[in-house]
Amino acid sequence: MLFLELLRISAAVFLAMLVGGTLGGKISGGPAWKSAIAVFVGVPLSVVVFFLMQGRGSPASLIAGQVLVGVTFTWLIGWTLGLRFYPILGMLIGGCAFGAVALKVCLVVIAASDAAPY
């Protein structure tokens, strides 16, 4: 049951990051498809690195490392696709902002469902 909850949260946050990154890149002057590809490839790569690093540090350092790797991969993929500085920055800000909001909403919904009487 816990695995399904984590899978749902991960999917919601990933989709929110994809939408936010695409919108942020588009608003900042880049093509939306390039921003979408960069987020779609960069974020899962950071998750792979996160799982490879399990057991090699504190949870906070693992999460900080995952964010750093995700931002770096997404930046490099966007730059390789031809995005310039401001569209990449908009893509990263939009993706992180939408992802953070989605994570907060998921956690509030889980807390509310746990607190509800049966």
Side-chain angles (χ1 to χ4, degrees), residues 10-98:
S10 298
V13 171
F14 176 70
L15 288 175
M17 290 179 76
L18 186 61
V19 169
T22 304
L23 287 175
K26 180 67 178 163
I27 290 170
S28 300
W33 68 273
K34 289 183 179 181
S35 299
I37 289 173
V39 173
F40 189 77
V41 174
V43 172
L45 281 176
S46 72
V47 173
V48 169
V49 170
F50 178 75
F51 282 115
L52 291 175
M53 297 300 293
Q54 286 293 322
R56 294 189 174 98
S58 67
S61 66
L62 286 175
I63 292 171
Q66 182 186 15
V67 170
L68 182 63
V69 167
V71 167
T72 304
F73 281 157
T74 306
W75 185 285
L76 288 174
I77 293 165
W79 180 73
T80 304
L81 290 172
L83 290 174
R84 299 291 176 233
F85 178 76
Y86 289 112
I88 290 175
L89 188 62
M91 173 184 63
L92 294 174
I93 291 171
C96 289
F98 276 54

